[in-house]
Amino acid sequence: MDYIFALVWIYFNMIVLEDLRKSYGAIKALDGLSLEVKKGELFAFLGPNGAGKTTTIRILTGLTRLDSGQVFIDGVDIEKEPLTVKRLCGLVTQHTNLDGELSVAENLDIHGRLFGLNRSQRREKSEEFLHYVEMSDRAGSQVKTLSGGLKRRLMIARALIHSPRLLFLDEPTVGLDAAIRRRIWSLITKISQAGVTIFLTTHYIEEAEFLAGRVAFIDRGRLLETDSPRAVMDRLGQWAVDVHDGEKAKTFFFGDRTEAGKLIGQHPGAGAVRRVNLEDAFLAKTGRRVD
Ligand code: ATP
């Protein structure tokens, strides 16, 4: 019965990680990480620097071998069928890795070739996804002439060209200004609504709060918590007051706004009553800020 349950579990989730471990010498990058991501979910993976996020993505996308544990993607064991898994996944890396000397269309074409698309499929898919990311008018532009935001959108189009069922977005808006970041958020939402499962890492915690159906907090290669952003925040309360006491700052949480207001009268260093946010939840769980 346990075996049947495990099969059903693996089949109904897009990602299943079981007791994943990876060390670099004495450093335990992943220390028994287990989690699952449901099909069609927009899942955000959050943790401070060195928590193990990139290592996880590298293992899931076949760029790094795991030491022990199991990974299933869309029911396929990554160790047994790495090439099948690669075809199921699209990856937008943290750092821009486009060929700046080539045109937008040429960058897409090369990627399509890597995934075995024939010439007409490559042309058709390039047009489709350039239209999708609203860059049809830039097909002939040399990539090095594009702005940071356009390069990101091109990387997303490129990652979609072989129609993956699962898209990894590793810091998709890093270094972009607030307006461009929101434009990328709209694009990510559109991709998610089209049914693609999205695994997102970000240092912009409000990005996860805005986009994700579910978040996971990890630190030191272990899962600390996973739930919807709302549920994670509600465990603290709805309202917060930051109190600055000399060098230190402490945050108090309340279910009731009036109670929060009373604290302000009692502490000269108290700020205004504000809504609890996801960063509060992360900090409460880990004692560390995402920065
Ligand atoms: P960041 O937010 O800074 O990108 P992260 O959560 O992605 O961090 P990882 O890059 O996965 O964290 O790193 C996890 C741990 O493994 C860190 O202590 C890191 O220094 C170490 N590590 C990662 N890759 C290597 C490597 N190739 N060689 C040695 N140590 C590594």
Side-chain angles (χ1 to χ4, degrees):
M1 197 59 188
D2 274 356
Y3 175 70
I4 299 291
F5 178 77
L7 283 183
V8 171
W9 184 246
I10 288 164
Y11 181 78
F12 280 103
N13 284 297
M14 181 55 83
I15 301 174
V16 175
L17 304 185
E18 280 288 329
D19 197 22
L20 204 54
R21 291 174 193 272
K22 175 77 187 175
S23 294
Y24 296 101
I27 298 169
K28 287 183 179 173
L30 296 178
D31 189 17
L33 182 69
S34 298
L35 59 84
E36 79 293 327
V37 176
K38 297 180 188 72
K39 288 184 178 171
E41 196 167 35
L42 204 167
F43 186 86
F45 198 52
L46 303 174
N49 291 127
K53 305 181 296 293
T54 303
T55 303
T56 306
I57 288 198
R58 287 183 62 83
I59 289 173
L60 290 176
T61 52
L63 297 171
T64 297
R65 290 288 301 275
L66 46 83
D67 291 344
S68 66
Q70 279 194 300
V71 177
F72 295 92
I73 296 202
D74 205 11
V76 181
D77 186 330
I78 201 168
E79 288 284 284
K80 291 190 181 142
E81 296 182 57
L83 289 178
T84 308
V85 167
K86 269 205 169 123
R87 286 180 183 280
L88 291 169
C89 301
L91 170 64
V92 177
T93 55
Q94 204 174 117
H95 303 290
T96 307
N97 58 359
L98 299 161
D99 190 328
E101 299 302 320
L102 299 182
S103 71
V104 164
E106 286 166 338
N107 268 273
L108 291 175
D109 190 71
I110 287 176
H111 202 72
R113 266 186 219 201
L114 287 177
F115 280 94
L117 304 185
N118 65 33
R119 186 191 291 257
S120 71
Q121 286 170 326
R122 296 199 302 271
R123 199 171 46 233
E124 187 190 315
K125 289 285 176 189
S126 293
E127 279 172 18
E128 179 185 341
F129 285 107
L130 278 184
H131 178 71
Y132 196 74
V133 300
E134 299 171 27
M135 284 181 63
S136 298
D137 55 334
R138 304 306 297 263
S141 301
Q142 203 177 17
V143 164
K144 68 181 177 190
T145 67
L146 301 178
S147 67
L150 283 171
K151 283 181 184 153
R152 281 279 121 183
R153 275 152 59 189
L154 174 57
M155 284 176 70
I156 292 172
R158 188 181 61 172
L160 292 171
I161 207 154
H162 61 292
S163 307
R165 303 198 57 198
L166 170 61
L167 181 64
F168 291 96
L169 299 171
D170 193 6
E171 303 280 351
T173 65
V174 70
L176 301 179
D177 70 41
I180 304 291
R181 195 183 304 159
R182 274 160 183 75
R183 191 149 183 203
I184 302 279
W185 290 2
S186 304
L187 180 58
I188 293 171
T189 304
K190 188 163 85 167
I191 296 166
S192 172
Q193 285 169 351
V196 178
T197 307
I198 296 181
F199 189 95
L200 166 81
T201 74
T202 180
H203 280 101
Y204 301 115
I205 203 152
E206 76 280 9
E207 181 162 296
E209 190 175 330
F210 181 82
L211 288 172
R214 205 154 57 93
V215 294
F217 294 155
I218 70 157
D219 199 10
R220 299 180 177 90
R222 287 167 175 262
L223 180 71
L224 300 178
E225 181 161 33
T226 179
D227 213 329
S228 69
R230 184 76 270 153
V232 169
M233 293 186 285
D234 281 351
R235 273 179 216 131
L236 287 181
Q238 279 72 47
W239 303 99
V241 177
D242 301 308
V243 177
H244 296 272
D245 186 6
E247 292 277 284
K248 288 185 184 160
K250 190 169 179 353
T251 305
F252 294 85
F253 301 102
F254 302 88
D256 183 278
R257 189 174 188 155
T258 315
E259 289 300 314
K262 283 184 196 161
L263 184 83
I264 295 178
Q266 294 159 10
H267 280 278
V273 177
R274 62 172 178 80
R275 283 261 178 209
V276 169
N277 60 44
L278 196 57
E279 183 147 351
D280 294 320
F282 183 87
L283 195 55
K285 200 76 198 170
T286 65
R288 299 215 264 161
R289 277 199 186 276
V290 178
D291 56 20

